């Protein structure tokens, strides 16, 4: 599967330098609520993705690099486009999604080589265009259809985060790998969602102030801790919302959202 990204990259003087084309392969897991329940038997997905945006890298403190990217994207996800695992007796799905987001990270390196761990946060709208239960004889088929029909044919709001690393070689080639978690809400309960989002961002930004001090005192070790702590925080918040999509609010009427987990590996050519 291919992902083509057109972006603008700034050199160490802050001037536009390069554009790139990025190719990625994807492996995805999909579920509703816990993977142990009746909705844990989705077939894995393949993904076609296009992303357009702007990328900036600024050098500071001699060896450190600050990555900042903003972009829009569109995707097609389908059980039929992956060949990694068997799909027999699993729920087959096809979905479209689009959205916008940001990617930020602190790494280290110099001319011709850099390593930048990053976190991305996106808002996304997803439409389930088709599904096939394949084996209703296992039980729960009518319940599964009832929930999946809530997503069928309409774009549903959600958000996703990615935790990854970008390695640049000789200013011409970038290697990129990340793990992505995505939540698609059955219903967009604005006030509950807003409360949940604000709580998550307060904690995330407070953690950022803490890790900035670590980076200032120990650039290399601080860069690693900055990534690990922020990625752990975002993934932990994702797990809390797998059973209650608006955690910590509306716990009495909690609903499990549709979730995706993906592993992405890519190569970017700069020109």
């Amino acid at each position: 599967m291919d992902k083509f990204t057109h972006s603008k990259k700034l050199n160490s003087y802050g001037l536009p330098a390069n554009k790139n084309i990025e190719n990625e392969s994807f492996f995805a897991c999909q579920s509703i609520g816990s993977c142990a329940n009746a909705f844990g038997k989705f077939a894995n997905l393949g993904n076609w993705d296009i992303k357009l945006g702007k990328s900036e890298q600024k050098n500071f403190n001699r060896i450190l690099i600050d990555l900042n990217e903003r972009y829009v994207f569109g995707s097609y996800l389908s059980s039929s486009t992956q060949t990694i695992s068997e799909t027999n007796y699993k729920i087959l799905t096809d979905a479209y999604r689009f959205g916008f987001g940001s990617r930020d990270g602190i790494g280290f390196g110099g001319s011709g080589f850099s390593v930048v761990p990053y976190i991305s946060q996106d808002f996304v709208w997803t439409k389930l265009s088709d599904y096939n239960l394949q084996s209703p004889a296992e039980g729960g088929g009518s319940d599964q259809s009832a929930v999946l029909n809530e997503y069928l044919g309409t774009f549903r709001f959600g958000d996703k985060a990615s935790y990854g690393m970008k390695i640049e070689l000789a200013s011409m080639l970038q290697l990129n790998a990340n793990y992505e978690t995505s939540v698609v809400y059955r219903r967009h309960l604005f006030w509950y969602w807003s409360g949940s989002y604000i709580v998550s961002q307060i904690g995330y930004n407070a953690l950022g102030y803490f890790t900035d001090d670590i980076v200032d005192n120990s650039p290399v070790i601080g860069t690693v801790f900055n990534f690990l702590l922020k990625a752990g925080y975002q993934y932990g918040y994702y797990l809390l919302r797998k059973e209650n999509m608006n955690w910590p609010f509306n716990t009495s009427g909690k609903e499990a959202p549709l979730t995706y987990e993906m592993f992405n590996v890519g190569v970017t050519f700069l020109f």
Side-chain angles (χ1 to χ4, degrees):
M1 285 64 74
D2 295 326
K3 171 182 175 182
F4 302 93
T5 302
H6 298 280
S7 68
K8 185 179 291 184
K9 175 181 164 62
L10 300 191
N11 58 26
S12 58
Y13 300 99
L15 299 175
N18 298 313
K19 292 184 179 179
N20 66 51
I21 294 179
E22 182 174 341
N23 300 316
E24 291 198 3
S25 59
F26 303 83
F27 175 73
C29 169
Q30 180 184 20
S31 67
I32 297 180
S34 170
C35 286
N37 68 18
F39 290 94
K41 296 182 180 179
F42 286 90
N44 290 319
L45 300 170
N47 183 22
W48 292 85
D49 193 271
I50 183 169
K51 181 181 290 184
L52 304 172
K54 179 180 179 181
S55 177
E56 298 179 1
Q57 287 188 185
K58 296 181 180 178
N59 293 52
F60 68 101
N61 199 17
R62 292 187 298 177
I63 64 170
L64 295 183
I65 296 173
D66 183 27
L67 173 68
N68 185 281
E69 296 181 352
R70 300 293 182 266
Y71 50 80
V72 295
F73 63 90
S75 306
Y76 171 64
L77 303 93
S78 175
S79 304
S80 62
T81 61
Q82 69 86 24
T83 58
I84 296 176
S85 61
E86 294 292 333
T87 60
N88 293 336
Y89 306 111
K90 295 182 179 180
I91 303 173
L92 305 179
T93 56
D94 294 283
Y96 296 90
R97 67 180 183 180
F98 69 92
F100 61 92
S102 63
R103 178 187 290 176
D104 301 282
I106 299 176
F108 50 89
S111 177
F113 178 78
S114 64
V115 177
V116 183
Y118 63 81
I119 307 293
S120 68
Q121 301 183 82
D122 305 337
F123 293 128
V124 58
W125 286 260
T126 303
K127 180 175 75 172
L128 181 66
S129 60
D130 193 19
Y131 70 87
N132 184 352
L133 297 181
Q134 286 202 99
S135 183
E138 290 185 0
S142 59
D143 293 335
Q144 294 174 344
S145 294
V147 174
L148 290 173
N149 285 338
E150 295 182 24
Y151 294 92
L152 188 65
T154 58
F155 280 99
R156 297 290 185 179
F157 177 73
D159 53 68
K160 66 186 182 78
S162 299
Y163 333 98
M165 182 174 296
K166 180 181 289 188
I167 301 174
E168 183 171 317
L169 305 172
S171 299
M172 296 176 59
L173 179 69
Q174 289 181 348
L175 307 178
N176 185 15
N178 67 64
Y179 189 74
E180 174 188 312
T181 55
S182 178
V183 173
V184 184
Y185 301 101
R186 294 195 198 184
R187 298 176 294 158
H188 188 195
L189 304 175
F190 179 78
W191 294 112
Y192 288 128
W193 170 82
S194 297
S196 177
Y197 180 74
I198 291 171
V199 168
S200 72
Q201 291 302 299
I202 289 174
Y204 186 78
N205 289 307
L207 187 61
Y209 285 112
F210 172 71
T211 58
D212 285 346
D213 288 337
I214 300 178
V215 172
D216 290 339
N217 293 322
S218 180
V220 176
I221 295 177
T223 296
V224 175
F225 271 91
N226 176 69
F227 171 73
L228 292 178
L229 290 176
K230 288 183 176 179
Y233 177 88
Q234 289 283 44
Y235 188 72
Y237 211 87
Y238 161 77
L239 292 178
L240 290 171
R241 293 183 298 149
K242 286 190 74 172
E243 296 296 338
N244 178 17
M245 62 186 187
N246 292 304
W247 188 92
F249 301 99
N250 197 30
T251 55
S252 60
K254 66 179 182 180
E255 295 179 334
L258 180 67
T259 61
Y260 294 89
E261 298 184 23
M262 296 186 184
F263 180 70
N264 308 319
V265 178
V267 177
T268 301
F269 298 94
L270 303 175
F271 62 94

